Amino acid sequence: MRVIFMGTPDFSVGTLEAVLAAGHEVAAVVTQPDKPQGRNRKLVPTPVKVKAQEYEIPVYQPEKVREAEMVETLRSYKPDAIVVAAYGQILPESILSIPPYGCINIHASLLPKYRGAAPIERAIIDGETVTGVTTMYMEKGLDTGDMIDKVEVAITPEDTGATLHDKLAEAGAALILETLTKLENHTATRMKQDDAQSCYASMLSKEMGRMDFAKSAEELERLIRGLNPWPCAYTEIDGKNVKIYKAKVIAMDDAYKTQAQGKVEQTLTFAPGEIVEVAKKYFVIACGTDALQIQNLQPEGKKPMDTVAYLNGNPLKAGMTVNWK
C-alpha cells in the first residue's frame, strides 16, 4: 500500500521501520518540528525524522498540520492510508477524508479505556495488570473512532513507564501490519467503542509526580514506576527536592516496627512522611498504609544513584519527616 506515516517520538520509530520492512511504500513522513534542547538551545530533530532521513523519505514538519497548504501537499501524494503513531496533533476532517482506506491510529491502550495522551503511565499508576495496543479508524473525537484490531500486553510488578513503553511500541509495530493487510484485503472490521467504559489519561506534568504520603505505599510505588523516567515521582528531603526512581513496599506490621526501632513489646505509630528506619543500604518512609523502602533516587542537582551513595552524603535519621504537604 502507498502510505503516509505520521509520528514523532521513539514509540513511533519501530512502527515506521515495520511498515517499510513489510514492503509498503511510505511516500512521505509528517512529524513535529525540531525542538531546542540543552543549554545552547540547539534544534534537535524528532526520532521519526532521523529514521525517515535514513531511508531518504520526504519529511514534513508543519507547526499546524491543518494549514491548507499542508493539507494539499498530503492530498497530492494520493495515499491509500495514513498511519498515525503518537504524532502529537489532532487531524482535521480535511486530512481524515484524504485516504480511501482511512487514517489509522495506533493507540497504546485497550480502547475505550485510557483515551488521551498518557495511557502507558496511567495503566501502571492505576494498578492494571494488562494493557495493550489498539488500531482504530481516526475521527474528529479524541481516540473515539471505530476499533479494528487489539493485542494484549501484560504489566509486570517490575514494569516502569519506560519498559512498558518499549513493550507496547513493539506490539504496535506488529499489530499495524495485521491491520494494513486486512485493509488491503477488505477484511478489516469496525468495532464501536463503548463511551461508558472510557476514561481519559491526561498529559503528564511535573506536578503529577509530587508524592502524597497520606496515600498507601502500594499507590506510591505504582506512581514511582509509572512516572519513571519522566516526569518522575518526587518529594523534599532535608530541604532539597529528591526524585524517587525505585522503591519497595514494606508491610508495617508489629514485627517490622520492633526490628526497625530496636524496641521490644512496644506499639509504635508513625506519621505519613516520617522516616522510620535508616540502614546502610536503604531508608524507609511511612505512608498512609505501610511504608516505602527507598532504593534508587536522584537528589537535586545530582545524577541518579542508589540509596547507599545517597546516604553516604546525606546522613538521615529515623524520626525525620519529608516535606510532602
Side-chain angles (χ1 to χ4, degrees), residues 189-205:
T189 59
R190 286 180 174 267
M191 295 176 283
K192 292 287 184 183
Q193 294 192 44
D194 182 354
D195 293 343
Q197 296 183 13
S198 72
C199 61
Y200 180 65
S202 60
M203 187 176 296
L204 299 179
S205 67

Side-chain angles (χ1 to χ4, degrees), residues 237-238 275 278-279 283 308-318 320:
I237 302 176
D238 201 19
I275 297 176
V278 180
F283 62 96
V308 176
Y310 176 77
L311 290 173
N312 285 338
N314 300 269
L316 304 180
K317 294 182 179 180
M320 295 175 63

Side-chain angles (χ1 to χ4, degrees), residues 99-256:
Y101 290 94
C103 293
I104 311 301
N105 184 40
I106 303 166
H107 186 73
S109 81
L110 297 175
L111 290 171
K113 198 164 189 180
Y114 298 126
R115 296 171 179 171
I120 299 173
E121 296 82 1
R122 179 69 179 276
I124 294 175
I125 292 170
D126 285 359
E128 302 285 350
T129 57
V130 176
T131 185
V133 178
T134 306
T135 54
M136 56 180 286
Y137 291 100
M138 297 182 71
E139 58 177 34
K140 289 183 178 180
L142 181 61
D143 300 327
T144 58
D146 292 348
M147 302 175 292
I148 307 172
D149 290 312
K150 290 184 181 182
V151 62
E152 292 187 351
V153 173
I155 302 176
T156 72
E158 293 77 34
D159 267 325
T160 65
T163 61
L164 188 57
H165 166 282
D166 292 348
K167 289 180 182 180
L168 293 172
E170 183 177 353
L175 189 64
I176 189 61
L177 300 185
E178 295 181 24
T179 298
L180 289 176
T181 297
K182 291 178 181 179
L183 290 171
E184 194 170 13
N185 295 337
H186 302 284
T187 58
T189 59
R190 286 180 174 267
M191 295 176 283
K192 292 287 184 183
Q193 294 192 44
D194 182 354
D195 293 343
Q197 296 183 13
S198 72
C199 61
Y200 180 65
S202 60
M203 187 176 296
L204 299 179
S205 67
K206 291 184 179 180
E207 185 58 31
M208 288 176 63
R210 187 171 186 84
M211 298 174 70
D212 178 357
F213 284 94
K215 294 182 177 181
S216 70
E218 184 178 343
E219 289 177 280
L220 291 178
E221 190 273 340
R222 295 199 306 259
L223 181 75
I224 291 167
R225 289 189 291 114
L227 298 186
N228 179 354
W230 193 91
C232 293
Y234 69 93
T235 190
E236 187 178 297
I237 302 176
D238 201 19
K240 295 182 179 179
N241 281 336
V242 178
K243 295 178 180 178
I244 309 296
Y245 286 101
K246 186 177 181 181
K248 177 183 177 182
V249 175
I250 300 295
M252 290 290 280
D253 53 23
D254 291 340
Y256 172 77

